[in-house]
DNA sequence: ACCTGAACACCGTTCAAGT
DNA sequence: ACCTGAACACCGTTCAAGT
């Protein structure tokens, strides 16, 4: 019944020969950092560790768990130790820290966006911290849950898109083709798109031909952060009449 | 040089025997709807079409293109024909329509969140429409680009998380384990999380044990939408002094 | 307890060959 | 123009066996 249960923390610790769950996950994260999640394979990882592929199954239930564990490592030091009194500063700080953490391991971005729930990558301290910020902002009851969902979506959403991987097989070929496609936009049918093309090419989702890894969207990220902070501030009280 | 170029639209059209790029992509979307993107395989698709796997390569360059094309199909009728005069209503409508489109094909959510850029899934009409809304809201110059990025992230972000697939192998086993994990939260270390547990289990990211497919987060989505609208409204003018 | 080794049932994609 | 058919170089995971 009870498998995948390594030496229990204490014990051994003398020789670095044996694999250990931690060593495996660290190696997995390193490999993902180099090749991306899609190209990440159990067999590659085993090769890297000088071990038969099946040896890994002693420490970890399978490929998915390897990825989830690696992502958890990447988010380990994300949560701040204290909740700042100013909730708006706290939100800004949270978004900034999350972005920093993912930027250190850009290839995990797709997993965070798409499989957030299915792994235990998200530390409970982070969720507690988010709730604390929102309680300080004055949310309670049902709206607290909605604000919680909103803040998590805000934290993950922008960064997932910003760091989304471009096709890395024939990277240059794709980039050229994409640039042409964008330059070929018909100004008659899409006037605004054509007019703003110059600016959008600098760094706009879908239009850009580079990933956020190479060309960070710093000022758009700040804009995003302010939008969220202002929006949450406005949502604290029930909408005051009007249209 | 020029491959993957089917009959050119006109012509034939008499017999439904030959594959045609469109038939292939439609079948791909149907298969993805049933099995999810991860489990989607070229060989399965070929089997379904009663054809050798390699036959598909005549109509489409490879697996990635199959997925991108299928996603593009799912977003085909997303863009509204006209830009409403009220930009706030337009934003609400856009987010709602996007969510509806993805809810019709929930398994494409991960791809949209993570690979938005790399495929041509995003129709140019949609980008034009987004720009039109934001111009109506009063954005121009650099802020227009930032608002564009913000609105796209807002459109994609929440829905990607809401419809993120849970582990579907041992679904029930995972759900039970996850519920226990959440129930075991230590109230001493995570007081707010423990206190709000009852409400959060109903439908909060990371905490919930069901996907948005089965348990939609309707009211949180409305909250999200309002937050974005209010936030954008606040960002139209430069922040007016104050702390 | 931890790893080897063989085996199973798959993959995506290439290339040459058919019609 | 469009598809067959064989082949290549991979996968993740199982199970029994070793030590």
């Amino acid at each position: 019944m009870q498998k995948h249960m390594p030496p229990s923390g204490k014990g051994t610790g003398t020789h670095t020969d044996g694999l250990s769950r931690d060593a495996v996950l660290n190696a997995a994260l390193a490999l993902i950092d180099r090749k991306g999640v899609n190209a990440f394979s159990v067999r590659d990882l085993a090769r890297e560790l000088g071990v038969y592929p099946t040896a890994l199954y002693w420490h970890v239930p399978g490929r998915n768990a390897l990825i989830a564990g690696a992502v958890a490592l990447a988010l380990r030091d994300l949560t701040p130790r204290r909740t700042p009194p100013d909730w708006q500063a706290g939100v800004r700080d949270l978004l900034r820290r999350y972005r920093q953490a993912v930027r250190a391991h850009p290839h995990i971005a797709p997993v965070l966006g798409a499989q957030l729930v299915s792994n235990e990558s998200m530390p409970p301290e982070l969720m507690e911290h988010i709730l604390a910020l929102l309680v300080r902002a004055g949310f309670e009851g049902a709206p607290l849950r909605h604000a919680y969902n909103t803040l998590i979506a805000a934290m993950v959403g922008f960064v997932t898109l910003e760091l989304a991987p471009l096709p890395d097989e024939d990277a240059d070929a794709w980039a050229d083709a994409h640039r042409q496609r964008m330059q070929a936009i018909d100004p008659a049918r899409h006037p605004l798109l054509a007019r703003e093309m110059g600016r959008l090419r600098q760094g706009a989702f879908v239009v850009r031909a580079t990933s956020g890894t190479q060309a960070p969207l710093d000022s758009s990220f700040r804009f995003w952060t302010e939008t969220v902070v202002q929006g949450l501030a406005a949502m604290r009280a029930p909408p005051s009449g009007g249209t």
Side-chain angles (χ1 to χ4, degrees), chain A residues 27 29 42 44 66 70 81 84 113 118 141 150 159 166 185 189 224 238:
Chain A
L29 180 54
V42 177
D44 268 356
L66 281 170
R81 50 255 140 250
S118 68
T150 292
V159 174
L166 305 187
I185 293 282
R189 292 176 51 187
W224 167 262

Side-chain angles (χ1 to χ4, degrees), chain A residues 102-119:
Chain A
V102 182
R103 274 169 67 79
H105 306 277
H107 278 128
I108 69 170
V111 184
L112 283 163
Q115 268 114 306
L116 219 196
V117 220
S118 68
N119 42 37

Side-chain angles (χ1 to χ4, degrees), chain A residues 18-37:
Chain A
L19 277 184
S20 93
R21 189 183 141 90
D22 234 56
V24 168
L25 292 182
N26 271 299
L29 180 54
L31 192 54
I32 289 173
D33 282 343
R34 293 204 335 262
K35 320 252 268 180
V37 176

